[in-house]
Amino acid sequence: MKRYDMIVIGAGPAGLSAAIQAAGQGMSVVVFDENEKPGGQLFKQIHKFFGSKEHKAKIRGFRIGQQLLEEASGAGVEVKLNAVVTGLYMEKEIVVKIGDNMEHFKGDTVIVATGAAENMVHFEGWTLPGVIGAGAAQTMMNLHGIRPGKKVLMLGTGNVGLVVSYQLLQAGCEVAALVDAAPTVGGYGVHAAKVARTGVPFYLSHTIVKAEGTDHVTGVTIARVDENYHFIPGTEKHFDVDTICLAVGLSPMAQLLKMAGCVMDERPGHDGTTPLCDENGATSVPGIYAVGDVSGIEEASSAMLEGRIAGLAAAAYLGFMDEKTCEEAVNRQKKALMSLRRGMFAPQNKGQKIVTTEEGIPLSVHLLKEGYVGDEEIERFPGVNHAVGIHPVMECTQNIPCNPCQDACPHQCIRVGADITALPQVDETKKCVGCGLCVASCSGQAIFLVEEHYIPGFATVTMPYEFLPLPEKGERGIGLGRKGEPLCEAEVIQVKTAEIFDKTSLVTLKIPEDMAMRVRFYRKEV
């Protein structure tokens, strides 16, 4: 039986981060993962991360995965793939199915980073081919290059539902609607807004009545629900779709932790599906740690920091670090983690009804109910301004942890401050040169460059664009508003691509002057 200082179960962001941190302290580390490729969910995530530099903000998920793999290799971490851990027993012994063999390994410490599985919901026809999890759709598109369907309905408006809906559009699918039984959008408003401006409608306080079809999905019926989530007769709506994506939450895969005898968390507010852990990820069984979604569902940025903390704690537990050095290193990681756990979407605000931003500004009702900020609401947010000449307009209306726009601007035109959940503002004493770095760096695609008086009677708006084929200079099309409604004729006068933009192109439109603060998307005339 081979022994390691640390065994990590799961080669996702949390597991790899823990392995890298531990190996950096001189520990022998092996990572087991059941998949044929390491990286977990990261390689499905083609969008840019939120946070700040220390959280790898504005870097796309798959690039972060590549970075972690390179770091792990450089640190001497051994990664075993197609390796299914079937048991975690006393004395931290594990059984792994590798090929046709069952092999035994022992770790002085074990990090469990097995992640979470998609939830399903039951409705008439839910077992028909064409009803799939949103994560499965993301895997098909971003790992295998396969479109899940031609016309899709998405159930769920949390971040997963919003992000995957946008990626479905990027893959050339039509998204018929986003539906959620909750009365408000569950994910980041910037994610919802970039879907809404393409013209996809939102149906809040609605859910699926039935999927239609015999041997595959051919349609779906939804209906409005009351406050008790009962269908309201007469509110049914039908959509012709061939695919239904479900983004209705995740459940931690904690079976190995239960098998090992770890106490599950059944304190008030917890449902016993996650292990009881201390702030370093240590479970009730000495030497066993839980990190990432298996210890509580959060973003990948948080999972990486949790992994680092547990890797350091395990190193100190085995004597590879002295306690003081470990505490200092852990505190630095905890400071970065706590900056992510702030703002409107912080864990402590889950289930709370928030009606204003931290600055005291009333939230957009349209955004919460329909996925977009209304024209009559947008002016109250500090990133929206009417400076002379070309200037950034930041339609960031919720307190989420993110500040790459501040770092991107070479002339310090954008101000977020030390609190990365603060709404961004324009420093009108600084001169914007229209470089577009802020537009390309925004993880939520919520920044636009506007020149309200370009030439007599016309304005320009420069927007982030991540669809193919790209518009061409001189092309004419339609300028769309925040809810995807056609507003005016638009002429493409510039298309900028650059390596530093990381595959976000900048499309500049010439539009009527009175549309400068309204046009936020472009569609080619057909």
Side-chain angles (χ1 to χ4, degrees):
M1 182 189 305
K2 191 165 183 180
R3 176 201 152 276
Y4 292 88
D5 296 322
M6 175 184 285
I7 291 173
V8 179
I9 306 172
L16 286 174
S17 297
I20 292 164
Q21 208 72 55
Q25 301 304 318
M27 296 172 68
S28 60
V29 182
V30 64
V31 180
F32 294 100
D33 195 283
E34 64 184 1
N35 298 298
E36 62 180 19
K37 292 182 180 180
Q41 303 301 309
L42 286 173
F43 284 93
K44 299 179 355 182
Q45 296 178 345
I46 62 173
H47 57 283
K48 296 177 180 178
F49 273 36
F50 290 82
S52 61
K53 283 181 180 177
E54 61 191 340
H55 309 117
K56 299 186 181 292
K58 79 172 183 177
I59 302 176
R60 297 187 189 275
F62 70 91
R63 297 195 192 281
I64 296 173
Q66 292 166 346
Q67 292 174 4
L68 289 177
L69 292 178
E70 290 170 5
E71 288 182 54
S73 176
V77 174
E78 189 177 342
V79 179
K80 293 183 180 289
L81 303 174
N82 295 309
V84 182
V85 178
T86 62
L88 173 57
Y89 301 102
M90 292 178 64
E91 304 302 322
K92 296 180 281 296
E93 180 181 337
I94 69 168
V95 177
V96 190
K97 184 177 185 297
I98 302 175
D100 294 328
N101 300 321
M102 301 299 289
E103 302 186 24
H104 292 247
F105 300 86
K106 189 174 187 308
D108 292 338
T109 57
V110 175
I111 303 273
V112 178
T114 44
E118 290 192 276
N119 295 337
M120 292 290 113
V121 290
H122 295 184
F123 47 82
E124 185 180 341
W126 76 281
T127 59
L128 281 171
V131 180
I132 62 175
Q138 199 176 33
T139 298
M140 293 171 69
M141 292 185 293
N142 299 341
L143 294 184
H144 303 294
I146 299 169
R147 283 192 300 182
K150 293 180 179 177
K151 193 170 183 179
V152 185
L153 181 132
M154 178 67 70
L155 180 66
T157 63
N159 279 336
V160 172
L162 297 172
V163 167
V164 174
S165 291
Y166 190 74
Q167 291 174 5
L168 285 163
L169 293 167
Q170 290 177 303
C173 305
E174 179 184 349
V175 178
L178 275 131
V179 178
D180 202 314
T184 57
V185 171
Y188 290 174
V190 288
H191 281 321
K194 69 184 184 184
V195 175
R197 61 179 175 250
T198 68
V200 177
F202 283 64
Y203 291 90
L204 281 300
S205 295
H206 282 74
T207 194
I208 294 174
V209 177
K210 64 177 180 178
E212 297 153 8
T214 53
D215 59 352
H216 65 279
V217 171
T218 58
V220 61
T221 297
I222 68 171
R224 180 177 288 278
V225 295
D226 61 22
E227 62 274 11
N228 296 313
Y229 299 102
H230 297 143
F231 291 121
I232 300 174
T235 62
E236 294 83 4
K237 294 178 179 65
H238 171 82
F239 297 90
D240 291 319
V241 298
D242 58 20
T243 306
I244 299 170
C245 278
L246 306 180
V248 290
L250 302 167
S251 293
M253 295 195 291
Q255 296 90 334
L256 291 173
L257 292 160
K258 292 180 182 178
M259 185 183 295
C262 298
V263 173
M264 304 307 285
D265 195 345
E266 296 182 348
R267 295 173 298 169
H270 299 265
D271 58 7
T273 60
T274 57
L276 186 65
C277 299
D278 71 9
E279 58 183 8
N280 294 335
T283 69
S284 60
V285 178
I288 296 181
Y289 300 78
V291 294
D293 282 349
V294 75
S295 65
I297 309 300
E298 288 190 81
E299 299 292 324
S301 301
S302 298
M304 289 186 285
L305 291 166
E306 288 180 3
R308 293 177 197 172
I309 291 168
L312 290 166
Y317 173 76
L318 294 183
F320 284 86
M321 294 181 75
D322 65 77
E323 292 293 337
K324 185 173 188 244
T325 303
C326 176
E327 184 179 358
E328 290 172 352
V330 164
N331 285 340
R332 287 193 295 270
Q333 301 298 335
K334 286 180 178 177
K335 182 179 179 181
L337 181 59
M338 290 312 299
S339 69
L340 285 175
R341 290 175 172 169
R342 299 181 61 192
M344 293 169 51
F345 293 87
Q348 63 268 25
N349 288 332
K350 188 175 181 180
Q352 301 294 315
K353 186 176 181 180
I354 298 175
V355 296
T356 66
T357 69
E358 292 173 355
E359 296 82 0
I361 303 168
L363 294 179
S364 163
V365 174
H366 281 296
L367 182 64
L368 296 175
K369 299 286 187 180
E370 300 171 77
Y372 65 91
V373 182
D375 292 342
E376 74 283 3
E377 300 172 313
I378 196 66
E379 295 282 345
R380 63 180 178 239
F381 296 97
V384 179
N385 66 98
H386 299 274
V388 175
I390 194 165
H391 59 279
V393 172
M394 294 161 291
E395 301 194 354
C396 192
T397 66
Q398 295 176 326
N399 300 113
I400 56 178
C402 197
N403 71 353
C405 56
Q406 177 175 259
D407 294 333
C409 182
H411 297 279
Q412 292 81 52
C413 296
I414 298 173
R415 187 172 63 247
V416 175
D419 182 357
I420 66 170
T421 65
L423 296 181
Q425 303 180 47
V426 171
D427 185 342
E428 295 189 22
T429 67
K430 304 294 173 65
K431 175 69 174 174
C432 173
V433 297
C435 66
L437 288 171
C438 60
V439 179
S441 73
C442 179
S443 306
Q445 297 186 28
I447 299 181
F448 306 85
L449 291 181
V450 175
E451 189 167 8
E452 297 181 57
H453 307 290
Y454 171 58
I455 59 175
F458 290 92
T460 65
V461 57
T462 300
M463 60 188 62
Y465 198 89
E466 293 191 353
F467 294 90
L468 294 174
L470 284 175
E472 297 180 0
K473 183 178 179 180
E475 181 180 296
R476 291 182 180 273
I478 304 297
L480 306 182
R482 294 182 182 87
K483 63 177 179 179
E485 78 279 25
L487 291 178
C488 61
E489 183 180 272
E491 179 187 352
V492 178
I493 61 172
Q494 187 179 57
V495 178
K496 288 176 67 175
T497 59
E499 186 175 349
I500 197 171
F501 294 166
D502 191 14
K503 299 190 181 301
T504 299
S505 297
L506 307 186
V507 173
T508 301
L509 305 178
K510 186 178 83 170
I511 53 177
E513 197 170 68
D514 60 348
M515 292 289 136
M517 299 303 289
R518 297 185 63 193
V519 168
R520 290 300 177 261
F521 196 64
Y522 171 78
R523 179 176 296 153
K524 183 179 179 179
E525 287 183 324
V526 293

